[in-house]
Amino acid sequence: MDELGQSDPMTSGAGQRLGAPETLGISTLDPGLRPPTMPPGRHVTIRVRMLDDTEELFDISQKASGKVLFDLVCSHMNLIEGDYFGLEFQNHQKMMVWLDHIKPIIKQLRRPKHTTLRFAVKFFPPDHAQLLEDLTRYLFALQIKQDLSSGRLPCNDSSAALMVSHIIQSEIGDFEESQCRSHLLNNNYIPEQMPLIDKIMEFHSKNIGQTPAESDYQLLEVARRLEMYGIRLHPAKDREGTRLSLAVAHTGVLVFQGQTKINAFNWSKVRKLSFKRKRFLIKLRPDLNSSYQDTLEFLMASRDCCKVFWKICVEYHAFFRLFEEPKPKPKPVLFTRGSSFRFSGRTQKQVIDYVKESELQTGVVSNSPHLSASSGHSHGMVNGQKSLELCSHSPDGRQPSPLTSPLLNDACSVRTDDEDEARRKRFPTDRAYFIAKELLTTERTYVKDLEVITSFQSAVGQDEATPDSLKNTIFSTFEPLHKFHTGFLREVEQRLALWEGRSNAHIKGDYQRIGDVMLRNLQGLKPLTANLHKQSELLVELEKSCRVSRKLETLCKDFELQKVCYIPLNVFILRPLHRLMHYKQILERLCKHYLATHVDFRDCRAALADVSEVVDQLQGSLIKMENFQKLLELKKDLIGVDNLVVPGRVSLKLERMDQIKMTCSLFSLSQEFIRLGCLSKLSGKGLQQRMFFLFSDVILYTSRGMTATNQFKVHGQLPLHGMTIRESEDEWGVPHAFTLVGLQQSVVVAASSLTEMEKWMEDIKTAIEMAKTRNGPSSELLTSNLTDNKCPEDSSVEAESEDDMAASRISLERPTPHRGNTMVHVCWHRNTSVSMVDFSIAVENQLSGNLLRKFKNSNGWQKLWVVFTNFSLFFYKSHQDDYPLASLPLLGYSVTIPSESENIHKDYVFKLHFKSHVYYFRSESEYTFERWMEVIRSATVPSSRARVLNSKESHLH
């Protein structure tokens, strides 16, 4: 077995160890081509130090380009994937630079005979599975070995010991204690190795049976997960003079402080990179949600330092983001005017294509233990980049958001001071009191919500077009409920007043409880909840009546646009079912808090048993109705989908620039909504922002329409039957990418983060499995129609003119006849997604109450009545107000506790922040603080799959 320290592994050991053929080709050449002819002129001998520290001599013409020398080095090693590597040397300014492939050797090396070039890894891919040859991974392993020993790859002791164990497994083979210890005492692989020898040996003993190639693979598997993997730091300072370092990776430009990454600028966010003298400039795409300036400036040691780093940035961007080598241009957009530098060589995608083509022609099979499954090249996707201008990820990032912000001024709210706080402290502090107070505050909101429905009832009752059956159903359901809960609210208010000691008419101790009030009223509520499972009939009848009567449809739309209707109308219709769940949760908290001997425990337990029985009976209906309500809501946000929620077959119309209309039968009443959100779709124009909608049998993808309605226009559909899904970041060099492979069409998309990608892939895989259990494609889809309606996106669909985009921006800035702050639009603007599980949690988890709010740069606190529901906080001056003054959608926000440096110095404060937007809120007790944190997290933190889709399935059919 060959050791890494052999005298000449490149000429014998490496190739023999890996079983490489004599010569397959040279990595930087296109298939079928031979090395270029050496130009005439004086020859010079160039010394190249290899990755195992051996040196090789190459005879070359001084007039030859850097590429000729590099090709000779790769040919010498039989290296096919040479494009990941480069030759670096120390120039006359004592700076390490990469040999330029285009320029002649004589113009780069002043004293060629006295210069040693180092063969090294230049481009570090995010996943070593993208490296298709064992020889390439072996060379990468040697690079990691160098980086470890030099300290360029810092890591914790456990990771260091694990990597060394893989290195020595490839060098000396299976573990034998005395040999291993002796080897580690005579060879130093990491700084401060001695204290870790026992740990290294322990790991090495677990590697028995690993071949050298497998050890290389495992070494890279550990290394690629480290923060400093492939990072080459370039010293710099920010505008304040803080010492930093810049680096470049496949994702974009990174900023480090010491060895800690403190910032990252993704290629999709960067519009231009340039340098002016000592200043390195990063020009970002305009984004109103970002706290960054349009242009970021870093000061480096010299102009040459800037230029060296700028060059490697240009090359990294081209290698990982472009699909083919950029053609030379006189004045490329990315560069400053004085530079003619461009990336020369194949991109990562071209390397992968070439290696696979070589394997087909020569019969060579890669021995990779974990080769990437597929490349997706058959999809015909091309980047279409015409220059090195950085790809646009989301042109809408610079458009003003239509979302309402909670910018209440001081005149709209009451300031509180220490006297208010002292007065509050006189109230009871028992946890049971605050649980009871939550019942009071949420009941106030619930009664207001019932009044919204009774107002709607009055509006439709006066309309002749409304069927009598619909009028009677609404009246018979909500009028008794409103009357009952108005009385219940009055009782709760009286009980809390007594509990707080604001009345001396009764003995105080007898009224510090709430269970008796709840038990009595829940028993009285039972007759009114008996028919709540028929709420779905009300939703269906209302939808059907609107389809028949344009006048009624207009009436409903106009009512929904009123300020009092702060959430979708159909959510109000489901409120009675949600309220029963709230009673159950409140009683569960009381029973958990009380001791069994408490005077209130028995009544609370009896009330809990009563409400649990009703909730359990209605649970299946609630799941179906929430799904149905969401389909109704989506219908209003989509253009091109007809009859989305009508029983039987419905049609999806795909309009191609006012040309042909194609109809695909897609949905039935049992259609289940699963997830919606923003993804970037790969097309001939690069990555374009699209809104995706996942249902139980199909995926729709849309773009924001150019109409004044703020709706989304359907571009295409992908049936789930027969679909497969795979991660595709490796194939396309696009972070967080995955491919949806359908029977008729395949689509490559990219998520905004790893978490988003994982959520999408999990839901799609589950939906695909669900689709398999159905009766085949004919039960959900008319395959004869689909044959004619594959809906591949052509340029006419994808191309949005500047006029179109301008019209889209204008439509968002003016009042429109359709709400522009639904969750679809929030997901669009904040580049995120939401599942049906999240929707259910967001409408079922509600909270109301007074909070004190403070802006980031203000001094005083404002007292507001705040309602949480449907992923948003709604702000009122008081609980008596009929409609909110402002709202704050929470998707994308994070909720935390303020740090000491923020100087809040108050109890029970939580902080909401999204990019540069920061808000502080104070609650009155530990219990209310915990509850606000709990419900807000339900809207900001990705939910666990509390309801498995398959369990929903049983209720939907």
Side-chain angles (χ1 to χ4, degrees):
M1 183 172 296
D2 296 311
E3 293 193 11
L4 298 185
Q6 280 188 320
S7 60
D8 196 7
M10 295 302 176
T11 56
S12 58
Q16 292 172 6
R17 164 185 152 180
L18 298 167
E22 181 63 23
T23 300
L24 286 178
I26 297 173
S27 71
T28 54
L29 303 179
D30 292 331
L33 297 182
R34 292 298 174 191
T37 305
M38 190 72 66
R42 181 183 174 187
H43 278 223
V44 65
T45 300
I46 304 291
R47 184 181 301 272
V48 177
R49 181 170 297 167
M50 300 300 186
L51 278 165
D52 66 337
D53 288 331
T54 61
E55 293 185 355
E56 296 290 337
L57 302 177
F58 295 89
D59 190 64
I60 192 169
S61 168
Q62 284 188 337
K63 294 181 180 179
S65 67
K67 183 174 184 294
V68 173
L69 174 59
F70 186 73
D71 289 344
L72 286 175
V73 175
C74 292
S75 177
H76 172 74
M77 292 187 289
N78 295 326
L79 176 62
I80 299 177
E81 296 175 286
D83 300 78
Y84 290 99
F85 304 84
L87 294 171
E88 61 179 353
F89 64 97
Q90 192 177 64
N91 66 9
H92 65 284
Q93 295 174 316
K94 307 298 183 184
M95 296 173 58
M96 293 301 294
V97 297
W98 294 103
L99 186 71
D100 192 320
H101 284 194
I102 298 177
K103 288 183 179 181
I105 296 287
I106 195 172
K107 289 191 175 182
Q108 301 185 69
L109 306 180
R110 285 193 173 182
R111 304 175 64 192
K113 291 182 180 180
H114 303 283
T115 301
T116 299
L117 290 86
R118 294 189 64 94
F119 181 85
V121 176
K122 187 175 184 179
F123 301 113
F124 289 80
D127 188 353
H128 55 287
Q130 295 173 336
L131 308 174
L132 303 183
E133 294 285 307
D134 282 343
L135 174 58
T136 313
R137 287 190 294 275
Y138 171 56
L139 295 172
F140 265 72
L142 291 177
Q143 182 70 67
I144 297 304
K145 180 184 174 185
Q146 280 192 6
D147 290 353
L148 273 174
S149 64
S150 66
R152 287 174 94 175
L153 186 58
C155 57
N156 61 42
D157 290 349
S158 182
S159 295
L162 183 58
M163 286 189 285
V164 172
S165 77
H166 290 304
I167 293 174
I168 61 176
Q169 173 72 23
S170 68
E171 290 186 355
I172 66 175
D174 288 344
F175 176 78
E176 196 282 314
E177 184 172 357
S178 59
Q179 180 194 19
C180 180
R181 186 176 297 277
S182 175
H183 188 81
L184 288 171
L185 290 173
N186 292 311
N187 296 273
N188 205 52
Y189 295 98
I190 51 176
E192 305 297 324
Q193 179 173 292
M194 286 298 294
L196 294 180
I197 285 183
D198 289 338
K199 197 173 190 68
I200 295 170
M201 293 175 63
E202 179 186 351
F203 283 132
H204 185 202
S205 67
K206 298 176 182 178
N207 296 339
I208 292 176
Q210 275 187 10
T211 66
E214 289 170 344
S215 296
D216 294 342
Y217 190 94
Q218 295 302 326
L219 170 64
L220 297 177
E221 179 67 19
V222 179
R224 75 182 181 96
R225 301 177 186 278
L226 301 176
E227 177 93 296
M228 296 296 289
Y229 171 68
I231 295 300
R232 303 296 182 253
L233 298 177
H234 297 253
K237 294 180 181 179
D238 62 14
R239 285 181 173 175
E240 286 72 40
T242 305
R243 292 183 182 275
L244 304 168
S245 295
L246 300 180
V248 62
H250 70 282
T251 55
V253 181
L254 312 177
V255 183
F256 284 79
Q257 196 161 39
Q259 293 175 342
T260 303
K261 183 171 68 177
I262 61 172
N263 221 327
F265 302 100
N266 194 288
W267 294 127
S268 62
K269 306 296 184 187
V270 178
R271 187 161 70 86
K272 186 177 182 180
L273 296 176
S274 61
F275 64 95
K276 294 180 180 179
R277 298 183 180 87
K278 295 182 179 182
R279 292 180 298 144
F280 184 82
L281 307 174
I282 303 175
K283 193 162 190 178
L284 300 176
R285 298 187 181 280
D287 183 356
L288 293 180
N289 291 323
S290 174
S291 61
Y292 297 115
Q293 304 155 350
D294 177 57
T295 301
L296 298 170
E297 180 177 307
F298 297 89
L299 190 67
M300 305 187 84
S302 66
R303 178 187 181 277
D304 288 332
C305 291
C306 281
K307 187 172 184 178
V308 166
F309 182 63
W310 173 79
K311 280 185 175 182
I312 190 62
C313 287
V314 170
E315 292 182 307
Y316 251 82
H317 172 265
F319 184 75
F320 287 109
R321 295 283 288 190
L322 303 186
F323 287 0
E324 58 186 11
E325 179 181 353
K327 301 299 184 288
K329 281 180 174 280
K331 292 181 181 179
V333 180
L334 181 64
F335 312 137
T336 54
R337 293 186 178 182
S339 175
S340 60
F341 176 78
R342 69 178 176 90
F343 172 75
S344 174
R346 293 177 307 182
T347 66
Q348 186 186 36
K349 180 181 181 298
Q350 288 176 311
V351 174
I352 293 172
D353 287 348
Y354 173 66
V355 173
K356 291 188 174 180
E357 183 65 21
S358 297
E359 291 173 355
L360 289 174
Q361 292 176 359
T362 63
V364 175
V365 178
S366 173
N367 296 318
S368 168
H370 301 283
L371 190 60
S372 183
S374 57
S375 65
H377 302 145
S378 60
H379 309 325
M381 295 293 181
V382 293
N383 188 288
Q385 294 299 311
K386 297 179 181 178
S387 72
L388 283 181
E389 177 72 3
L390 301 187
C391 303
S392 172
H393 179 74
S394 171
D396 300 294
R398 58 179 175 273
Q399 298 174 8
S401 169
L403 307 179
T404 308
S405 296
L407 300 177
L408 300 181
N409 57 38
D410 293 348
C412 296
S413 58
V414 179
R415 285 186 176 272
T416 63
D417 53 25
D418 292 337
E419 291 181 8
D420 297 320
E421 194 165 339
R423 186 166 61 252
R424 285 197 305 274
K425 287 181 178 178
R426 291 200 298 268
F427 291 155
T429 57
D430 181 35
R431 187 178 182 87
Y433 162 77
F434 291 109
I435 297 175
K437 190 169 183 180
E438 179 183 334
L439 171 66
L440 168 65
T441 56
T442 53
E443 190 71 11
R444 283 172 173 165
T445 296
Y446 177 54
V447 170
K448 285 287 185 183
D449 288 350
L450 289 175
E451 289 171 357
V452 173
I453 298 298
T454 55
S455 298
F456 175 70
Q457 167 196 312
S458 300
V460 298
Q462 299 169 8
D463 182 62
E464 297 175 357
T466 306
D468 290 338
S469 60
L470 178 61
K471 295 178 183 178
N472 293 335
T473 302
I474 297 175
F475 182 85
S476 63
T477 301
F478 288 98
E479 192 67 31
L481 283 173
H482 179 252
K483 182 178 180 180
F484 173 84
H485 285 281
T486 300
F488 179 39
L489 174 60
R490 191 180 306 113
E491 279 195 52
V492 175
E493 287 177 332
Q494 291 171 352
R495 175 56 58 89
L496 265 292
L498 294 171
W499 198 332
E500 292 166 356
R502 283 181 278 165
S503 170
N504 296 321
H506 304 85
I507 300 174
K508 182 178 178 182
D510 291 344
Y511 293 95
Q512 292 185 343
R513 55 180 176 156
I514 198 67
D516 58 327
V517 176
M518 293 195 73
L519 177 61
R520 182 170 61 253
N521 280 276
L522 286 174
Q523 290 174 342
L525 184 62
K526 266 191 176 182
L528 301 181
T529 59
N531 295 325
L532 285 183
H533 65 279
K534 295 184 179 180
Q535 295 290 88
S536 56
E537 297 177 12
L538 173 57
L539 293 176
V540 171
E541 190 168 359
L542 180 59
E543 168 68 12
K544 184 169 65 176
S545 300
C546 286
R547 294 183 64 83
V548 173
S549 170
R550 180 63 61 87
K551 184 178 179 182
L552 178 61
E553 182 184 25
T554 302
L555 187 152
C556 290
K557 286 183 177 179
D558 290 343
F559 184 85
E560 250 193 334
L561 289 172
Q562 295 182 27
K563 292 180 179 179
V564 70
C565 196
Y566 63 99
I567 55 178
L569 175 62
N570 289 324
V571 176
F572 284 107
I573 294 177
L574 299 183
R575 277 297 192 242
L577 289 93
H578 294 146
R579 189 57 181 155
L580 291 172
M581 297 178 65
H582 302 157
Y583 293 149
K584 180 183 177 183
Q585 293 165 1
I586 287 171
L587 286 164
E588 285 173 341
R589 284 193 286 273
L590 281 169
C591 289
K592 185 177 180 180
H593 169 68
Y594 285 139
L595 296 175
T597 56
H598 195 280
V599 65
D600 205 24
F601 178 75
R602 180 175 296 181
D603 287 340
C604 285
R605 187 174 60 180
L608 176 60
D610 284 346
V611 75
S612 297
E613 179 184 355
V614 178
V615 167
D616 291 344
Q617 292 172 353
L618 294 173
Q619 187 64 46
S621 298
L622 177 60
I623 292 172
K624 284 196 290 187
M625 281 186 273
E626 286 178 347
N627 177 70
F628 186 51
Q629 181 275 322
K630 184 48 60 180
L631 293 177
L632 290 170
E633 186 179 329
L634 292 179
K635 176 192 169 188
K636 299 171 185 176
D637 282 313
L638 293 173
I639 298 174
V641 179
D642 290 339
N643 309 328
L644 181 62
V645 289
V646 172
R649 300 290 179 183
V650 299
S651 63
L652 166 68
K653 292 182 179 178
L654 300 176
E655 298 185 11
R656 292 287 185 85
M657 308 299 284
D658 298 325
Q659 297 174 1
I660 62 172
K661 292 185 179 180
M662 299 180 293
T663 304
C664 305
S665 178
L666 292 178
F667 299 94
S668 68
L669 184 61
S670 62
Q671 180 72 27
E672 181 185 353
F673 162 70
I674 298 175
R675 179 175 291 278
L676 66 84
C678 198
L679 293 169
S680 296
K681 180 178 177 294
L682 194 61
S683 71
K685 293 176 69 65
L687 289 170
Q688 293 190 316
Q689 188 178 8
R690 292 287 178 259
M691 184 63 69
F692 279 68
F693 298 82
L694 172 63
F695 298 93
S696 52
D697 57 358
V698 72
I699 298 174
L700 304 182
Y701 51 95
T702 71
S703 64
R704 191 173 53 188
M706 270 69 81
T707 67
T709 61
N710 276 322
Q711 292 166 292
F712 288 82
K713 181 179 179 180
V714 176
H715 277 242
Q717 51 86 16
L718 294 167
L720 293 180
H721 185 80
M723 177 183 286
T724 58
I725 182 174
R726 64 170 183 266
E727 290 189 39
S728 304
E729 182 174 323
D730 300 353
E731 300 169 31
W732 304 106
V734 178
H736 319 307
F738 57 96
T739 302
L740 306 173
V741 184
L743 295 177
Q744 304 288 341
Q745 180 189 7
S746 295
V747 172
V748 180
V749 295
S752 59
S753 67
L754 177 61
T755 301
E756 278 293 308
M757 182 187 78
E758 290 173 344
K759 288 192 291 186
W760 273 107
M761 292 189 68
E762 178 189 0
D763 280 352
I764 293 173
K765 286 176 181 177
T766 305
I768 290 172
E769 290 302 312
M770 289 167 55
K772 290 179 182 178
T773 65
R774 300 175 188 270
N775 298 325
S778 60
S779 67
E780 297 295 335
L781 303 160
L782 297 181
T783 53
S784 58
N785 280 354
L786 271 179
T787 303
D788 299 324
N789 303 320
K790 291 181 288 187
C791 313
E793 289 191 30
D794 58 14
S795 58
S796 64
V797 175
E798 286 294 336
E800 296 180 10
S801 69
E802 292 296 327
D803 292 340
D804 289 336
M805 288 191 286
S808 177
R809 288 194 292 272
I810 292 171
S811 72
L812 286 173
E813 292 168 1
R814 65 180 181 228
T816 67
H818 180 75
R819 285 187 182 272
N821 64 340
T822 64
M823 285 306 102
V824 178
H825 292 84
V826 177
C827 288
W828 175 267
H829 285 278
R830 295 187 183 162
N831 204 16
T832 187
S833 70
V834 174
S835 72
M836 187 63 221
V837 175
D838 298 319
F839 272 111
S840 296
I841 292 172
V843 294
E844 294 170 8
N845 283 348
Q846 297 175 33
L847 195 60
S848 308
N850 286 312
L851 285 175
L852 303 179
R853 190 194 60 191
K854 176 183 176 300
F855 294 115
K856 183 178 180 180
N857 296 317
S858 65
N859 294 321
W861 293 83
Q862 299 169 321
K863 184 178 181 180
L864 299 169
W865 177 260
V866 183
V867 174
F868 166 83
T869 187
N870 212 34
F871 297 103
S872 298
L873 294 178
F874 296 91
F875 300 94
Y876 303 74
K877 287 168 62 178
S878 75
H879 70 83
Q880 297 167 329
D881 290 355
D882 291 328
Y883 57 84
L885 296 171
S887 66
L888 176 64
L890 295 176
L891 288 177
Y893 271 80
S894 39
V895 56
T896 58
I897 300 172
S899 64
E900 285 291 328
S901 62
E902 292 170 274
N903 296 319
I904 298 300
H905 305 309
K906 298 287 184 180
D907 294 332
Y908 315 129
V909 176
F910 60 91
K911 171 185 173 183
L912 282 173
H913 53 107
F914 173 72
K915 296 188 175 178
S916 61
H917 305 286
V918 177
Y919 308 100
Y920 301 100
F921 294 90
R922 283 168 61 194
S923 51
E924 64 178 341
S925 69
E926 182 179 4
Y927 171 79
T928 51
F929 168 79
E930 291 170 356
R931 287 289 294 131
W932 279 108
M933 291 284 282
E934 180 183 349
V935 297
I936 290 175
R937 278 178 175 151
S938 74
T940 58
V941 179
S943 65
S944 60
R945 300 193 63 79
R947 294 183 186 169
V948 180
L949 294 176
N950 289 339
S951 68
K952 281 191 164 190
E953 177 86 352
S954 62
H955 296 294
L956 287 165
H957 296 287

